[in-house]
Amino acid sequence: MGMISEADIEYIKRPQGQDVQADQTLSKTVQTIIEQVRERGDAALRDYSAKFDKTTPDNFEVSPNEIASALADLDPQTRKDSEFAIAQVKRFAQAQLATLQPLEIETLPGVHLGHRIIPIQTVGCYIPGGRYPILSAPVMSIVPAVVAGCDEIIACLPPGAHPAMIAICHLAGAHRIFKVGGAQAIAAMAWGTESVPEVNKVVGPGNAFVNEAKRQVFGKVGIDALAGPSEIYVVADESADPRILAADLLAQAEHDVHTRVGMATTSPHIAHETLAEIERQLRNLPTAATAGEAWKRQGEIVICRDEAQLIAWADYIATEHLQVHTRDPHATASKIRNYGSLFIGQNASVVFSDKCCGTNHTLPTMAAARYTGGLWVGAYVKICTHQWIDDHGIAAVAEPAVRQSRTEGMQAHRRAAEIRLFPHNVDAITN
Ligand code: HSO
Ligand code: ZN
C-alpha cells in the first residue's frame, strides 16, 4: 500500500491552516447538561429549551393533532419527493438487511455455533436543526430503523424546527416525536425523562454539542459515528469536467464554513480550470457567503504524479464523500479503500445520495472512514452468537477448558467444565 505525505504532492490551493473548532469548555458544559437532565428530567429540559431555543413547548411530545396539521401543511410535491426518498432508502436498506444472514454451523463434531440478527429494541433518532431544514435528514436516520424492525423508534428535533420536518419524521416511520434539541435531547434519550423514554441506541448527526453529548452517553447507550461538518473530495484525471467538479465541491461547501472540500488530480490543466470555475460559480451562488468562506478556509487542490498517487492520497484523506472522475472510474474506484461513500463516474453526484438515491447520507467525517462506514440498517441490529454442545462436543471442548482454567487459577471455571465430563458423578470433580 502506498504511504503518502504532504511532501509528495503539489498544492495548487492549500487550506488556510487547520480548522480546529477547539472549545475546552464544551465538554464541561455538555457534562453539566447531561447531569441536569439525569437528575431533574423534564424540568431541566424546560430550562435548557428556554435558554438555548428561546422557547419552551407546552408538551415535549408532538401530539397527533400537531402531526396531522404538519402533514396537512406539507406542500404536496415536497411530500411526494420525500416519499420517493423514503422508498429508495427503504429499498436499499432492505437489500442490505438481506445480506445479514443467521448462521448455524457445527465447527467440531457436537459443537454447534451460530448467530442471529436481532433488531435493537428502542432507538432514538436525533434530527438536527442547523442552517437548512434538510428534509432528507429524518429519512436517513428513521427509515433503516423501520427496516431493521426496531420496536420503538423515537425522533427528537429542536423546538424551532420547520413543521415539515415533523411531518417527514412521521412519514419516515417514527413512532413518537419530541421537540427537544441539542445535548439535552441526547441526554433525555440516553437516560429518559418524564416525557422522553430512554432508548438503547442514539443515532443521527448534530452540532458540536450533540456530538459531545453522544460521546459522553456512549456506554449507557449505543451511538452511531460522530458526524462532523460535511466533506467532499474528488479524484480526477484530464477527462474530468471542471464545471461539474466545481458544482459538486460548492454543493458541499454550502453546508457550513467548516466544511472540507478538495480535489486531487493528475492534470494541472483540470486543477487550474476547476479553481477558476469555482470562483466563477461563486459569483452568482445565492449561498456564496457560506460556500465561499468554506472554500477559502478549507478548500484544497493538489496535483498527483499518477493514478497510484491519486489513490494513495484519497486513502490518506479518507473523506466522507469521494467522487471519482477518471477515464475508467470503476477501475480507479476499485483500488480505493478509505471513504464514507464512493461516487463512481461523472453522473454520481453527492447530491443524489444527500437527498434521494437510496444510500444513506450519514457518513464518517474527519477521516473516520479509515475505520468505519456510514449509518446503515446494520447499525440498528445486533449480531449475537449462541452455542449448543452435545455429548460429542463436550469431549472436544471440556478438557482444554479444564486445563486452561486450572492454569489460570480459575477453579470455579475449572469445575464448571469438569462437571460436564462427569454429569452423573459430581463427586468425581476434583478440588
Ligand atoms: N451532505 C450531507 C447530507 C445532505 N446534504 C443532505 C444536503 N442534504 C451529509 O452527508
Ligand atoms: Zn450535502
Side-chain angles (χ1 to χ4, degrees), residues 76-127:
Q77 188 60 53
T78 305
R79 177 171 180 152
K80 277 198 193 120
D81 290 339
S82 283
E83 285 169 341
F84 173 78
I86 289 166
Q88 301 320 305
V89 172
K90 189 170 277 180
R91 184 184 289 202
F92 188 57
Q94 282 166 339
Q96 286 191 296
L97 183 62
T99 69
L100 299 179
Q101 288 298 323
L103 175 68
E104 291 290 343
I105 182 173
E106 197 173 353
T107 56
L108 284 171
V111 177
H112 301 264
L113 311 182
H115 70 220
R116 286 164 54 209
I117 317 297
I118 306 171
I120 294 172
Q121 266 179 298
T122 56
V123 300
C125 302
Y126 185 71
I127 313 300

Side-chain angles (χ1 to χ4, degrees), residues 134 136 230 252 255 320-321 350 354-355 361-363:
I134 295 184
S136 55
S230 193
Q252 298 311 303
H255 273 285
E320 181 187 22
H321 305 99
V350 171
D354 276 355
K355 305 300 179 192
H361 80 202
T362 303
L363 297 164

Side-chain angles (χ1 to χ4, degrees), residues 144-168:
V146 172
V147 172
C150 300
D151 292 352
E152 185 165 64
I153 304 160
I154 70 167
C156 278
L157 71 187
H162 194 285
M165 300 296 281
I166 291 175
I168 295 169

